[in-house]
Structures are given as C-alpha cells and as structure tokens.
Amino acid sequence: MHMTLSRYLPILTWGRAYDRSAFGGDLIAALIVTVMLIPQSLAYALLAGLPPEAGLYASIAPIILYAFFGTSGALAVGPVAVVSLMTAAALGKIAEQGTMGYGVAALTLAGLSGVILLVMGVFRVGFLANFLSHPVISGFITASGIIIAASQLKHILGIDAQGHDLLELGLSLAEHLTETNPVTAVIGVFAVGFLFWVRKGLGPLLRRLGLGAGLADILVKTGPVMVVAGTTYAVWALSLTDRGVDVVGAVPRSLPPLTLPSVSPDLIGQLLLPALLISVIGFVESISVAQTLAAKTRQRIDPDQELIGLGAANVGAAFTGGFPVTGGFSRSVVNFDAGARTPAAGAFTAVGLAITALALTPLIFFLPKATLAATIIVAVLSLVDLSVLKRSWFYSKADFAAVLTTILATLALGVEVGVSAGVGLSILLHLYRSSKPHIAEVGQIPGTEHFRNVLRHDVITDPTVLTLRVDESLYFANARFLEDRIQNRVAGDPNIRHVILQCSAINEIDMSALESLEAINERLREMDVKLHLSEVKGPVMDRLEKQAFLHELTGEIFLSQYDAVRKTRLSHGGVGSGPPR
C-alpha cells in the first residue's frame, strides 16, 4: 500500500528526507519566482483573453497540486505563452472575450486537459507525445512566438485588432493603425526597450559596478517588476488614463474562488481536440524542461507521473478560476538557478501569490496593458528560432519539410491547424522513409569476420551468395519493398544459389512481413535458390518459432553472418573467397 501511494504521491518520498537545507533553498527560490511570476501570470491571462486575476488564480492551486503529485524539484508550473495562445484560439471560436461563456469555456478546457493528462499518466501512455518530433515542436513554438508577439502589438499601440493567425492580425493592425494612441505607444515601446536592455545590458552593468554575479542575476530577473512598478506609477501620477491609456483596472482582492467547469456535451465536444493538443504540447514542453534540469543534479523524472502531476494541476485550475497550465521554461530555469531543491518551492510560490491576490491587487489598478504586452513580447521572442530551418535543411530535407510546413501552417491557419499539420506530416514522412528501408548488399572485410556495404568498402564476395542487410524492422509498409528488391536482384543474376538476410537491425517482423518472407522463400525455391537468415534477435526468433515459416525455410538460421557465408560457400564447393569488390 505504501509503495503504491508513493508511486502516485511522490511527496511521501521526498517529504521524509526534507530538511532545513532544502527548506532554505526552496524558500529563496520561491521568493524570486514569485516576483517574476506576478507580472507573467497577469500578462498570460491577458494573452488568453481572460481577466488578469485568472492568471493569479491559475498559479496558486495548480502549483500546490503539482507539489504533491509531480516529480521535478525545479519545474515551475503555471500559465505559459504557447498554451495561453492555444487557449485563446480555442475559446475564440466558442464565445466572445469578456463574457461568462468565455470564462466557463476556459475552466472546461482546463478540466478536459487535466483529465486527458491524468488518463495518459494512469495508463502510462506518455509515449504518445513522441509523435511530436523535435522539428515540429521547434517550428510550432517559433511560429507561435511570432503570432503571440504580433497579437500584442494592439496593446502596445493602444488600438483594437483581432485575429488568430498572422494574416488576420496583420490586416487588422494595418486597418486600425491610424487609431494609435501616442501615449500608450510611448509606454509600450519604452517597456519593450527597457526589458530587452535588462536582459542584455543590466547584468554586465551591475557587475562592472562591483555587484556579485548572483545578486546581479537576481536583479536582472526582477526587470519585469521594475517596469511594472515604474509604468504603473507614471500612469497614476500623470493621470494618463484620461489620455486613453488602457489599464488593468480593478482586480478582486481574494483567494481563488471555487468554480465549476461545464459538463455540457456540446461544449466538451467542441473543446476536446484543442484540449488534447494543449495537453500534448504542454506535456512535451514541461517534460523537456524537467528532464534537462534534473540531469544537472542527477535526479530522476518519471514521465508518466509527470502526466499525473500536470493533470492534477489543470484539474485544480478548472475548479479555482484558472485556465490550462504547464511547466514554464524561463520560470523553471530561474527556480533551479535560485536553489530550488524540491517541489515544495512551488508550494511556497503559491503562498506568495496568494498573499499577492489578497493584499497587493489594488496596487496594479493603474498597470497599463501595454506593459503586460511588452512583457509577453520580450518573453516569447526568445522562443523564436528561425535557425532551425537552416539546420534542418542541411541535415534532413524531410525534417526541413516538417519544420517549414508547421511554421507556415501555424502562421497562416492558426495554432491548432499548424501543430496538426506538423504531426501529420511527420508521421507520413516516417511511414514513407520506413517503407523504403536501407537494404545493403554486404561482403566480408578481408582478414576479419565483419561484413560491410559493398558500395562503401573493399570486401570479399562470392558470386553464388547474395548477402543482404536490412536496416529496418519489417512491417506492412515495407515488406513488399524487400520482396521486389530480392526478386529483381536474383532474377538478374543466374549465378546466385544462396540468399542470406542479415537480420541484425531487425527488431520486429509483423504478420504482413512474415507473409512476405514466406512468399520470398517460395519464389526462391522455384528458382532453386535457398533463403537463409543470420543474426536474428531473440524476441524476433521467439515469434518466428511459433509459425510454420521456419519449418518451410529452404535454408538455415545462423548465429552470425560469418558462419552463414562460410557454410554456404562450402556447401557448393566454393574456395571461401571471391573477387574483391
């Protein structure tokens, strides 16, 4: 019972070893992340089309629940840019921003995402996330970063613009450009410039002034708080709301309320696909960050338990006024660098945010939305990586096609279509590549028992023995390709009396491939040619032994390719060597 509980409640494991040293590291990390998360949570709520307090609410209960169920000591869970954008894209098709229906849909989306993640974790199907290849993820995040930055220009300029893809946003921004509010634009441009300078120039400046690297890094991380405080004070002191500057306004002073997601079958049906995409994208982003940071301290991350932790966090968001959440890259890195040792750091962060929600929200009444937009723009532009196009072009044209398709589809058609197109193309390209596996004709390296491709090495071959190495598992999509390759090669060379399939790279043979092997065996029998197998892996042999194929095989099964070639040469009186190729 205890082992089962520990499996699903990691807090029972790390909690027993929790000590004063871990408490100190977690507390300091929580203070720094709390300061960083306040403007981020408000900004990402704005990006999701929700009131700013929703960002705070989505950062309290979810973090606490992850602390109980998650396995990463550094992962900082909460609203993130890409998931917030996907939330806005999904909800914008269902309800109008600012309406009660929009808020209920956000709760329902978080709840659905949580349930999907929990089911994936309980049934240990986290491997499904592997269908999102790294090029697709890179392309999707890059395109999403561009869309997010473009979507925030309306707040920077103080105009009204709508759209869920780059074309719509561009046309809408151009249409309303003449309505730009000069004061808002000054605040927005200043905030963007200041935040970029903080990232690049403040740290070196502080170190030149004699501050230690640690303290300088902490001050750099508080850059968003500085610009929030400065612009909020300026708007209040100069009464800039009278000049059309849009501000956050009144934010309720309260802890997250108890909320209920909708159980309407119609709404659930509309949100099911977006919830699935958000779940998988969020999990991939989160697990990548968690495993990268865990490797630095040799901690172990359980991907299936991470699914449960993120699922619980999203369910918590659904019942406490939030929206979908996941592990954030920048916050997690800050959390790790600040000394977080256990998931308790997240719980302490939640306490800090709860205090903020109760006591400090009146201070952000005059916070300009342009500042929050600047925070988002600076954060997401660091995610844009167009160099992935150049790298993938030189490494793999297929990966380049997947990246480019994902980027263009996301920019032109929106985030859901973009990631779906990228996943679909990746699967199709994988099927295409594996349907035409690399099949090498091999020969013996002189003086050794090793066999290599005759096109790449000077090897010894025998004109009566055809030896082929199949560098792929055999399944329905490539079985006929192997049939055709052997048929064409043997039919074109009447000297061949033996065909040896070197199976060292074959991990599986499905039923379709087995039937193809049986067909190959029969065709070769009719041509008076024997079929042999060598270096068959144990699990593959276990399955073959249950079938009639081995009994009907015209040749033999050999432990090594060398034994197969030596014996077949001897069987027809060969001298053991042939002309070098």
Side-chain angles (χ1 to χ4, degrees), residues 69-87:
F69 295 98
T71 59
S72 172
L75 191 68
V77 173
V80 300
V82 172
V83 170
S84 297
L85 174 66
M86 296 179 73
T87 298

Side-chain angles (χ1 to χ4, degrees), residues 328-485:
F329 177 76
S330 58
R331 291 195 302 272
S332 298
V333 171
V334 171
N335 201 32
F336 177 84
D337 290 343
R341 300 269 296 276
T342 72
F348 297 151
T349 300
V351 173
L353 291 171
I355 294 172
T356 300
L358 278 174
L360 303 181
T361 51
L363 299 179
I364 62 175
F365 182 95
F366 290 100
L367 171 59
K369 289 185 177 180
T371 300
L372 294 180
T375 302
I376 294 173
I377 289 173
V378 174
V380 299
L381 286 182
S382 65
L383 303 176
V384 175
D385 180 20
L386 293 175
S387 66
V388 69
L389 289 169
K390 180 180 179 181
R391 295 197 308 272
S392 61
W393 172 260
F394 287 107
Y395 185 77
S396 167
K397 299 301 187 290
D399 286 336
F400 171 80
V403 174
L404 184 62
T405 298
T406 304
I407 290 176
L408 294 179
T410 303
L411 292 177
L413 302 173
V415 291
E416 292 178 11
V417 175
V419 71
S420 299
V423 172
L425 183 61
S426 293
I427 294 173
L428 288 175
L429 288 172
H430 169 72
L431 291 174
Y432 175 76
R433 285 192 296 247
S434 62
S435 70
K436 295 184 176 182
H438 181 258
I439 300 176
E441 186 170 337
V442 298
Q444 183 181 356
I445 300 292
T448 73
E449 297 183 5
H450 299 294
F451 289 77
R452 293 294 184 268
N453 193 326
V454 299
L455 301 178
R456 294 178 178 270
H457 301 272
D458 291 329
V459 294
I460 300 171
T461 62
D462 187 318
T464 64
V465 181
L466 172 64
T467 61
L468 297 175
R469 187 189 69 230
V470 184
D471 295 333
E472 186 78 58
S473 290
L474 296 176
Y475 73 117
F476 64 90
N478 61 22
R480 288 299 300 272
F481 183 80
L482 177 62
E483 284 187 54
D484 295 340
R485 177 67 180 272

Side-chain angles (χ1 to χ4, degrees), residues 97-150:
Q97 288 188 14
T99 64
M100 182 177 294
Y102 193 93
V104 171
L107 300 176
T108 307
L109 185 62
L112 277 175
S113 179
V115 170
I116 290 170
L117 289 164
L118 286 171
V119 170
M120 291 174 66
V122 170
F123 289 97
R124 296 178 176 269
V125 292
F127 68 89
L128 292 175
N130 295 335
F131 285 104
L132 279 174
S133 66
H134 180 72
V136 169
I137 289 293
S138 297
F140 174 72
I141 290 178
T142 292
S144 297
I146 295 172
I147 292 177
I148 291 169

Side-chain angles (χ1 to χ4, degrees), residues 26 29-31 33-34 37 59-60 63 335 344-354:
D26 288 343
L31 290 172
V33 173
T34 299
L37 189 53
S59 304
I60 297 177
I63 299 179
N335 201 32
F348 297 151
T349 300
V351 173
L353 291 171

